[in-house]
């Protein structure tokens, strides 16, 4: 057989086809790693800018308020520059600063508090909080030192600031991180002559660590010895900031998702047979049991576990119970698998096969027929048996040669009709493949004198078959 091959071209000279990238340049692993590091550094720097922006404010917190008081309603002002909310105590500690606005109330050389037109009070003051019999602070303007170069008064925190402690109602503390608190209080100022000095304004900062503070103040009075004494009341509304609530709920949801993962570990381990694969699920579930308490402690300003917060009753406690139960369940499954393996090694299992029930015989459908039922068909005899034994075989062609064409026709009509018609002698003759081949051979190789007879008998036979 021939073949075709290129003439004068070897395999090395074959044309190499290059696939296109569609304009996309594939990056190597080192390049991807460098880009990831650069992105991480930029992300950290972007977050660090938040500290820089909070360092300098465009306008001091109390500046506009103090300027408005100095212009419209001069007098003594108390500024709460720090609010310490302690839910576990429970109490609220407010650090107040004494400020005076107006020429008749302001100490000489002390102007410029919070970059405003106000300064320090020019008179001695005794401050009373919540109608306490003892003053919480005593202010002496003569103790304020001067700066030699400028002649300005120096504001010393311990001399112009005092703390007032107030009891906090914490009946909603169990709703963390949606707990809110309300603190009412009253303050009164008295000068050296025991004359009440009106307080024109009370204000506090708006945000402290883990809390938002909203302050509202209003004029009030007390009756002492039948005399009305002016005071200043305030209400502090303390709530949690939105960022704290978001992260607390996020950690709460993560703990529940980890708990659901331990349940999935149990369902997967239950379908396994290999102990090594089950051990992996056990290790993962046990790690989750250790992680859940750490995530609970990571909640910002979270209450203690023994405080009975709602977030523990619907979160941490059931999470630990479910996770620990899943770990125990996986341990029990591993013990059962090991026990089964030990039993399988000691006594081999015997496989028993249930015998199938006998099928019912198919229903017999009787057909209405006028013909009698056919007799049982005797077993067929092998067509090779006469040849092996050397006996003489009578074929259809020889029978037709002897003039028995009519009998052969009757036999053929009876043999190719269903149901078969019984023979007169009660015997049904069946034709085998060997006899068919012999019939064709004898009919073709017969003597010339009997050619016409065999042809007529063959045509009669074929005619009966067609009928």
């Amino acid at each position: 057989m021939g073949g075709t091959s290129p003439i004068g071209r070897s395999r090395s000279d074959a044309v190499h086809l290059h696939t296109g990238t569609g304009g996309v340049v594939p990056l190597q692993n080192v390049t991807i790693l460098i880009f990831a590091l650069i992105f991480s550094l930029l992300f950290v720097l972007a977050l660090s800018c938040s500290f820089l922006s909070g360092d300098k404010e465009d306008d001091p917190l109390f500046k506009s308020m103090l300027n408005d008081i100095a212009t419209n309603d001069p007098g003594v002002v108390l500024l709460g520059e720090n609010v310490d909310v302690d839910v576990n105590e429970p109490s609220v500690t407010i650090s107040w600063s004494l400020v005076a606005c107006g020429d008749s109330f302001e100490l000489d050389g002390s102007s410029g508090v919070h970059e405003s037109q106000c300064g320090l009070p020019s008179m001695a003051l005794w401050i009373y909080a919540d109608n306490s019999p003892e003053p919480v602070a005593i202010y002496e303007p003569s103790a304020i030192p001067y700066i030699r170069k400028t002649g300005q008064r120096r504001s010393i925190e311990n001399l112009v600031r005092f703390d007032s402690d107030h009891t906090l109602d914490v009946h909603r503390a169990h709703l963390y991180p949606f707990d809110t608190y309300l603190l009412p209080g009253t303050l009164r100022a008295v000068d050296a002559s025991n004359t009440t000095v009106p307080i024109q304004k009370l204000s506090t900062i708006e945000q402290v660590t883990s809390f938002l503070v909203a302050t509202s103040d209003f004029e009030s009075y007390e009756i002492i010895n039948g005399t009305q004494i002016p005071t200043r009341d305030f209400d502090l509304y303390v709530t949690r900031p939105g960022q704290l609530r978001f992260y607390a709920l996020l950690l709460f949801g993560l703990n529940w998702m980890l708990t659901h993962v331990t349940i999935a570990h149990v369902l997967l381990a239950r379908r396994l047979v290999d102990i090594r694969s089950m051990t992996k699920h056990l290790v993962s579930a046990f790690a989750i049991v250790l992680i859940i308490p750490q995530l609970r402690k990571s909640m910002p300003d979270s209450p203690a576990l023994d405080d009975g917060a709602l977030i523990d009753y619907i979160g941490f406690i059931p999470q630990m119970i479910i996770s620990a139960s899943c770990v125990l369940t996986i341990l029990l499954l591993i013990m059962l698998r090991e026990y089964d393996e030990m039993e399988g090694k000691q006594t081999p299992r015997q496989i028993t096969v249930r015998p199938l029930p006998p099928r019912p015989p198919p229903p017999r459908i009787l057909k209405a027929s006028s013909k009698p039922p056919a007799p049982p068909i005797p077993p067929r005899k092998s067509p090779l048996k006469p040849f092996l034994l050397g006996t003489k075989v009578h074929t259809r062609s020889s029978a037709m040669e002897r003039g028995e064409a009519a009998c052969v026709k009757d036999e053929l009509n009876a043999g190719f009709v269903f149901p078969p018609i019984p023979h007169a002698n009660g015997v049904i003759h069946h034709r085998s493949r060997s006899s068919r081949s012999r019939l064709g051979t004898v009919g073709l190789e017969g003597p010339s004198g009997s050619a016409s007879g065999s042809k007529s008998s063959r045509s009669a036979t074929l005619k009966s078959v067609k009928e």
Side-chain angles (χ1 to χ4, degrees), residues 196-462:
T196 302
V197 178
I199 300 175
Q200 300 298 327
K201 183 66 176 177
L202 290 176
S203 182
T204 62
I205 59 176
E206 297 178 353
Q207 186 172 1
V208 295
T209 305
S210 304
F211 292 99
L212 295 177
V213 181
T215 307
S216 63
D217 67 311
F218 46 91
E219 295 182 0
S220 61
Y221 65 89
E222 297 176 1
I223 299 178
I224 300 176
N225 298 327
T227 305
Q228 289 187 1
I229 299 175
T231 58
R232 194 77 179 183
D233 287 4
F234 64 91
D235 289 333
L236 257 64
Y237 298 93
V238 182
T239 58
R240 300 282 184 178
Q243 299 92 334
L244 186 146
R245 292 178 176 179
F246 171 75
Y247 287 114
L249 290 179
L250 182 62
L251 293 173
F252 172 79
L254 288 176
N255 278 348
W256 267 119
M257 293 177 67
L258 290 175
T259 305
H260 296 160
V261 170
T262 57
I263 298 175
H265 279 307
V266 173
L267 298 177
L268 293 175
R270 185 171 174 269
R271 295 176 176 271
L272 296 176
V273 180
D274 186 17
I275 297 179
R276 290 186 178 180
S277 301
M278 297 176 67
T279 306
K280 297 178 182 178
H281 293 282
L282 175 64
V283 173
S284 178
F286 184 73
I288 291 174
V289 172
L290 299 179
I291 291 173
I292 289 178
Q294 302 302 321
L295 293 180
R296 167 61 179 82
K297 293 179 181 178
S298 300
M299 294 182 181
D301 197 31
S302 60
L305 296 177
D306 55 352
D307 287 347
L310 179 63
I311 199 170
D312 292 330
Y313 287 126
I314 65 174
F316 176 72
I317 295 176
Q319 288 162 5
M320 291 299 297
I321 292 175
I322 295 174
S323 302
S325 302
C326 292
V327 171
L328 291 177
T329 304
I330 297 176
L331 281 174
L332 292 176
L333 290 174
I334 292 176
M335 293 172 63
L336 290 175
R337 296 294 188 272
E338 290 183 350
Y339 183 74
D340 292 342
E341 288 186 0
M342 292 171 59
E343 280 193 346
K345 290 180 180 179
Q346 293 178 0
T347 56
R349 298 180 180 178
Q350 297 179 357
I351 301 175
T352 58
V353 180
R354 293 183 178 181
L356 296 176
R359 295 182 179 179
R364 299 181 63 184
I365 302 175
L366 300 178
K367 296 183 179 180
S369 178
S370 59
K371 298 181 181 180
I377 302 173
R380 296 185 178 181
K381 296 181 180 180
S382 175
L384 299 179
K385 186 174 180 181
F387 294 97
L388 296 175
L389 299 178
T391 57
K392 188 176 181 181
V393 181
H394 298 282
T395 60
R396 302 287 183 182
S397 59
S398 59
M400 287 187 292
E401 290 178 0
R402 293 197 299 269
E404 299 177 0
C407 297
V408 172
K409 181 179 180 181
D410 295 336
E411 291 179 4
L412 290 176
N413 291 334
F416 289 89
V417 178
F418 185 84
I421 301 174
H423 196 263
N425 298 332
V427 179
I428 299 176
H429 298 278
H430 297 274
R431 295 177 63 190
S432 61
R433 295 181 180 178
S434 60
S435 61
R436 294 174 189 172
S437 61
R438 289 173 58 85
L439 176 61
T441 305
V442 174
L444 294 175
E445 296 178 358
S448 58
S450 59
S452 60
S454 61
K455 187 180 297 184
S456 61
S457 62
R458 191 182 298 112
S459 60
T461 305
L462 295 176

Side-chain angles (χ1 to χ4, degrees), residues 138 155-162:
I138 298 176
S155 178
I156 305 300
E157 295 292 331
N158 195 31
L159 299 179
V160 299
R161 179 177 292 186
F162 66 95

